[in-house]
Amino acid sequence: MTTLRLKTWPAVPLEAEAITPDRFVGKTSAEIEALPVHHGNQEAALGDFFAVSGDGTPDIAIEGDLARVKLIGAGMTQGQITVHGDAGMHLGAAMSGGRIGVHGNAGDWAGAEMRGGQIYIRGNAGHGLGGAYRGSPQGMNRGLIVVAGSAGNEVGSAMRRGVIVVGGNTGDFTGAFMIAGSILVFGNLGERAGAGMKRGSIITYQTPKLLPTFRYACTYRPVFLRLLLRELRSLGQEIAEEWFERRYRRYCGDLTAFGKGEILAWEGP
Amino acid sequence: MLRIINGEVYDPLNGVNGEVRDVCAADGKIVSEAPDGKVIDAQGMVVMPGGIEFHAHVAGGKVNAGRKMRPEDHREMAIPRTPLTRSGVGHTVPSTFATGYHFAQLGYTTVMEAAGPPLGARHVHEELNDIPILDKGFFVLMGNNYFVLKFIAEGDFARLKDYVAWLLEATGGYAIKIVNPAGVDTWKWGRNVNSLDDPADTFPVTPRQIVVNLARVQQELGLPHTIHVHCNNLGVPGNAQITLQTMQAVGDLPIHVTHAQFNGYGGTGWGDFHSGAPELAAYVNEHKNVTVDMGQVVFGPVTTMTADGPWQYRLYQLSGHKWVNCDVEMETSAGIVPYRFSKRNAVNAVQWAVGLELALLIEDPWRVFLTTDHPNGGPFHAYPDIIKLLLDRDHRAEVLEGVHRGAQKRSSLKDLHREYSLFEIAIITRAGPARALGLRQKGHLGPGADADIAIYSKAADPKEMFARPRYVIKAGEIVAQDGRIVQDKPGRTFYVAPGYDRQIESAIRDDFEKYYTVSFENYPVQFDHYLPHRVAVSCVRE
């Protein structure tokens, strides 16, 4: 276990893509402290802000308020990061493997364009969760993101594959321009969910406000959803028994796009 | 003063083929002797004139629109500011500063912007002025211009000639560019033309008439560069026929067919799509009045941008990607569609093969130039890869094995065993473009030429060699060394002023005031402001 403890609160956001298991493996704590970070437009060392202890194992624990520390675990391919506090923007962006756990909140663009691995956030997440960066053709493509709290706008935008679970509410444009994949929202969906979606599933447990370009298809019990919910339960997610039993209303859309997507709305108890 | 000694010199315009000799420069020019000053020992190195980019989209409204619509392209390549150089971004559509630095780092010292709308001339010049180090010029879009069509329709050749001369001077442009003649005009009403004899909408003028008349104008004005033609039906299966007909239409008049790869296809649809390069090359081999450039495809992301609005709409429908299409009142249109050329796509693989076929089948290297139609076929920084494909047939065969088999079955590439020599590479990247552009002080190392020189280490891998010149010299001063910019200075802008009868101004004023949204007086660019470092290239009337 390698432990980082924030000792200096960065005056401006710190870009710390150095904090990944891939960069830590096989390094001594002194070598890890020497890894480069960007503090605003200044080059700095990780050791200027963090006290590092432990050897370079691919298991990292970070302590302190990291709301201003960006790019934690960005691009990681292996190992584990646990953040005991808040995490800044771009947490686990473009990661392709490993696991990140955040005990507090995460900033915008958590898991943006990720290609695999898992992210668990106990608090809330910001905008662009698992989404596509501006201009990119694809957002998240494989992997799992679970947020216990709520998330901001554009959750899973242009998502291609994978699963996003939000325990609370989501902001506007949830699953906008989705290409495929699944987004489960246990709270309220914001406005214009699924706008421009081609394929994929958005599953909601409240009555959704639908765009006029979504059309009612049928009411049924989706088999895949039972498997998905069971899998999530086995990962420790709280899943109500009645979500297995009751039916879902299926709305297909977005008819301005390819129209093979769906919003599944639970019928209620 | 500067003296480069012991280098292996390739200077095709002066017939120097790899001889070891000294090259000297003083006051920005090549001189026969420079007794003192800095000495560069080029032992084991290759010395060539600075590269000349013959056709690239680097400045102006559509390039900027391409930058704006592709933030994802900026993330892929960012160059930080240094004490000497400015910062920049962009992989397929780099920002202006990055464009200048990247070209210079590849040994290029001159670049021609391939298509500027007259109405956007100010924007073109502003961006050209922001491209550091390089000398520049721009081709003026005329093939669908209201007045060009009008004077052709009226059969008033004298006025057409005066108008073209006036327009070149009003815009500070360098040559006549024709894009999808008559097609762009009909696109303003949502249609396109399919043959050389389909008329435009505004006036009943056919592509054939436009190309032939402008080719005559070019000759009679004595413009240094020929007409520069982007043929009709670009990108469409079977378009090699219309390209051939266009070349035939002008008869003996000089013509440059640009990015010929995009206009060199056979077949009747995507199903039987195949290369049309052998037919085009056969015609070019027989007709010395024709030059072409490759428009080579490079696998990977590109940003297609052209004044050919209808084609770009079609490409958007094919690709489903985001797109921009715009109308330039009275003059032209533009479209931009991001695209990705894939090795695994049969059509893309054939397109890739067509560019190489053209370079290998056209026997006279003086009439085929290395371009990617940047950023349409690929970004210009892929030139070293393409040079390697031309120099090394084993490497070419290896790459061909790795792309879709369509490239083998639907083109003649696998049967082409020709290898370019370094002398021929120097022709297609420097001497040939200089001659075709009529830039007499460029592209060679004879006394009096601009001292633009690229010095490469001889490496086993030609890609490595051409990707990172040891020294790049612009106007007698070292600007890049081992891939690092060591001097940042502005380049110059070439323009032509063929002269015209002042009557033309009153002949166009009425329609101008009626239909343009800018006033006649505000239309011409102010040379002192927009072309601060300008060089007039003389026109020779026959």
Side-chain angles (χ1 to χ4, degrees):
Chain A
M1 169 89 76
T2 311
T3 307
L4 303 184
R5 191 173 45 74
L6 190 70
K7 60 179 187 187
T8 313
W9 166 254
V12 292
L14 189 70
E15 296 189 18
E17 58 262 63
I19 306 179
T20 79
D22 301 82
R23 299 282 293 275
F24 281 22
V25 167
K27 288 197 171 68
T28 63
S29 54
E31 284 169 334
I32 292 169
E33 284 186 346
L35 287 171
V37 292
H38 278 90
H39 186 224
N41 60 4
Q42 305 293 314
E43 290 242 7
L46 196 57
D48 297 344
F49 297 91
F50 290 94
V52 180
S53 61
D55 46 5
T57 56
D59 189 356
I60 304 170
I62 317 177
E63 290 162 11
D65 177 3
L66 304 177
R68 277 196 181 169
V69 181
K70 294 180 178 178
L71 292 157
I72 295 168
M76 69 189 267
T77 63
Q78 53 163 328
Q80 186 163 333
I81 297 177
T82 311
V83 181
H84 298 278
D86 292 348
M89 289 165 80
H90 312 287
L91 173 90
M95 70 187 281
S96 58
R99 185 182 191 281
I100 299 177
V102 179
H103 288 235
N105 302 322
D108 297 342
W109 305 111
E113 298 187 11
M114 70 189 276
R115 295 292 176 263
Q118 298 174 354
I119 299 177
Y120 294 88
I121 297 164
R122 285 202 192 164
N124 300 323
H127 303 301
L129 178 77
Y133 284 122
R134 297 290 173 240
S136 286
Q138 281 183 13
M140 177 175 182
N141 186 350
R142 292 188 178 82
L144 171 69
I145 300 177
V146 179
V147 179
S150 293
N153 297 334
E154 296 183 48
V155 171
S157 65
M159 170 178 187
R160 175 72 183 77
R161 239 190 231 101
V163 178
I164 298 176
V165 181
V166 179
N169 306 325
T170 58
D172 296 344
F173 291 103
T174 301
F177 302 105
M178 256 178 110
I179 303 162
S182 305
I183 301 176
L184 291 92
V185 181
F186 299 148
N188 286 316
L189 278 178
E191 303 261 334
R192 301 182 184 86
M197 75 189 289
K198 286 184 176 164
R199 278 178 248 94
S201 306
I202 299 172
I203 299 115
T204 173
Y205 291 87
Q206 314 290 336
T207 309
K209 272 181 276 178
L210 291 170
L211 281 169
T213 47
F214 278 77
R215 190 155 297 166
Y216 172 74
C218 61
T219 303
Y220 74 133
R221 289 191 184 83
V223 177
F224 89 93
L225 193 57
R226 268 181 269 163
L227 297 171
L228 181 57
L229 291 171
R230 198 174 301 154
E231 173 74 13
L232 291 174
R233 185 182 264 178
S234 75
L235 290 169
Q237 183 68 37
E238 259 184 57
I239 304 289
E241 197 56 40
E242 56 207 25
W243 295 350
F244 288 94
E245 287 159 11
R246 303 305 296 246
R247 299 187 304 172
Y248 292 73
R249 291 171 67 81
R250 181 178 192 269
Y251 299 91
C252 57
D254 181 336
L255 299 178
T256 59
F258 195 48
K260 301 271 185 194
E262 62 184 5
I263 293 178
L264 297 174
W266 186 56
E267 250 199 334
Chain B
M1 272 190 249
L2 186 68
R3 204 145 59 94
I4 301 156
I5 59 168
N6 299 328
E8 208 177 287
V9 178
Y10 291 87
D11 180 9
L13 277 164
N14 294 307
V16 182
N17 182 2
E19 288 165 34
V20 174
R21 55 163 72 186
D22 295 354
V23 176
C24 303
D27 301 325
K29 298 282 178 192
I30 303 284
V31 291
S32 45
E33 267 177 53
D36 48 339
K38 187 177 162 64
V39 175
I40 293 176
D41 186 356
Q43 179 81 42
M45 298 182 203
V46 166
V47 179
M48 290 186 182
I52 297 176
E53 169 61 70
F54 189 68
H55 179 112
H57 300 271
V58 291
K62 75 184 163 348
V63 181
N64 219 28
R67 294 184 187 116
K68 280 192 281 190
M69 77 186 282
R70 297 209 67 185
E72 75 278 19
D73 186 68
H74 304 188
R75 285 206 306 278
E76 283 181 26
M77 193 147 79
I79 55 168
R81 187 183 62 175
T82 70
L84 193 66
T85 55
R86 319 247 323 224
S87 60
V89 289
H91 178 68
T92 66
V93 262
S95 52
T96 50
F97 304 115
T99 302
Y101 301 142
H102 288 328
F103 265 120
Q105 283 163 331
L106 287 176
Y108 276 72
T109 50
T110 304
V111 59
M112 300 310 268
E113 159 56 42
L119 205 52
R122 281 185 178 77
H123 193 165
V124 173
H125 283 297
E126 276 165 346
E127 291 202 8
L128 288 180
N129 291 335
D130 269 351
I131 295 177
I133 299 171
L134 310 175
D135 288 342
K136 291 119 344 192
F138 95 94
F139 304 156
V140 185
L141 289 160
M142 297 193 194
N144 294 280
N145 183 295
Y146 174 88
F147 291 109
V148 168
L149 302 191
K150 181 181 177 199
F151 293 135
I152 293 173
E154 290 171 355
D156 194 342
F157 185 74
R159 283 220 165 119
L160 175 67
K161 200 168 86 179
D162 281 333
Y163 175 71
V164 169
W166 176 84
L167 190 62
L168 283 166
E169 223 171 295
T171 54
Y174 189 75
I176 300 171
K177 176 75 186 289
I178 303 171
V179 171
N180 188 1
V184 172
D185 183 73
T186 51
W187 177 237
K188 289 170 191 268
W189 282 267
R191 295 189 303 279
N192 198 355
V193 295
N194 288 314
S195 88
L196 276 192
D197 299 306
D198 287 355
D201 263 342
T202 314
F203 295 98
V205 177
T206 64
R208 184 188 304 280
Q209 287 173 292
I210 295 169
V211 173
V212 173
N213 275 287
L214 288 175
R216 277 182 60 204
V217 166
Q218 184 269 331
Q219 279 294 285
E220 296 205 9
L221 290 176
L223 300 178
H225 182 35
T226 62
I227 52 167
H228 197 103
V229 185
H230 158 139
C231 294
N232 304 99
N233 282 353
L234 178 129
V236 177
N239 61 12
Q241 285 315 311
I242 205 163
T243 311
L244 277 175
Q245 290 159 9
T246 307
M247 296 191 287
Q248 285 158 357
V250 297
D252 294 334
L253 294 169
I255 181 172
H256 178 80
V257 174
T258 191
H259 39 71
Q261 176 274 125
F262 284 117
N263 252 87
Y265 308 142
T268 54
W270 301 113
D272 62 348
F273 182 82
H274 60 88
S275 164
E279 292 164 83
L280 293 190
Y283 187 89
V284 175
N285 284 336
E286 292 295 309
H287 296 83
K288 295 217 175 308
N289 61 318
V290 181
T291 55
V292 304
D293 64 272
M294 291 164 69
Q296 176 61 29
V297 157
V298 180
F299 295 117
V302 300
T303 306
T304 68
M305 53 176 67
T306 163
D308 196 345
W311 161 248
Q312 291 296 73
Y313 175 63
R314 196 162 164 179
L315 185 62
Y316 151 69
Q317 287 181 310
L318 283 170
S319 69
H321 293 161
K322 54 188 169 183
W323 66 305
V324 164
N325 213 287
C326 83
D327 172 42
V328 181
E329 60 181 37
M330 306 287 283
E331 296 177 347
T332 180
S333 71
I336 303 153
V337 184
Y339 192 75
R340 176 179 281 274
F341 286 105
S342 162
K343 281 182 182 171
R344 287 179 293 182
N345 177 306
V347 169
N348 291 169
V350 173
Q351 292 180 298
W352 172 81
V354 169
L356 293 171
E357 274 183 290
L358 286 167
L360 296 166
L361 286 168
I362 294 173
E363 287 150 14
D364 181 4
W366 290 95
R367 292 192 288 117
V368 57
F369 313 124
L370 172 60
T371 67
T372 57
D373 187 15
H374 164 86
N376 284 285
F380 64 82
H381 28 93
Y383 284 168
D385 297 271
I386 301 167
I387 290 173
K388 186 175 179 183
L389 289 168
L390 294 174
L391 281 170
D392 183 346
R393 67 172 160 239
D394 295 335
H395 169 66
R396 195 162 66 224
E398 205 177 296
V399 177
L400 181 60
E401 277 303 315
V403 307
H404 192 284
R405 281 189 313 136
Q408 297 189 29
K409 293 203 293 208
R410 299 175 183 192
S411 82
S412 64
L413 188 61
K414 71 172 187 313
D415 304 320
L416 300 179
H417 302 298
R418 178 176 168 195
E419 283 183 338
Y420 269 65
S421 62
L422 283 178
F423 186 71
E424 288 174 312
I425 292 294
I427 296 172
I428 65 167
T429 56
R430 297 141 154 87
R435 180 188 272 181
L437 289 166
L439 288 171
R440 292 185 185 182
Q441 75 277 42
K442 292 286 182 195
H444 70 103
L445 299 172
D450 288 350
D452 298 351
I453 308 163
I455 305 174
Y456 302 94
S457 290
K458 281 193 108 170
D461 184 355
K463 181 182 164 185
E464 232 169 78
M465 169 177 166
F466 282 97
R468 182 169 284 210
R470 288 299 304 281
Y471 299 94
V472 181
I473 293 150
K474 171 76 198 333
E477 292 175 53
I478 301 174
V479 290
Q481 197 170 336
D482 297 318
R484 213 161 28 84
I485 299 293
V486 294
Q487 198 182 152
D488 189 359
K489 57 176 189 176
R492 299 171 302 170
T493 304
F494 296 113
Y495 73 101
V496 291
Y500 52 87
D501 184 342
R502 295 296 294 249
Q503 296 255 315
I504 190 67
E505 293 185 353
S506 43
I508 61 177
R509 185 182 281 269
D510 272 0
D511 277 1
F512 203 105
E513 300 288 3
K514 224 186 285 174
Y515 300 129
Y516 266 97
T517 55
V518 299
S519 74
F520 188 71
E521 282 72 21
N522 286 339
Y523 189 72
V525 301
Q526 294 84 353
F527 273 35
D528 284 341
H529 186 77
Y530 289 94
L531 290 86
H533 311 287
R534 61 186 175 274
V535 180
V537 176
S538 55
C539 300
V540 185
R541 292 190 195 225
E542 293 183 357

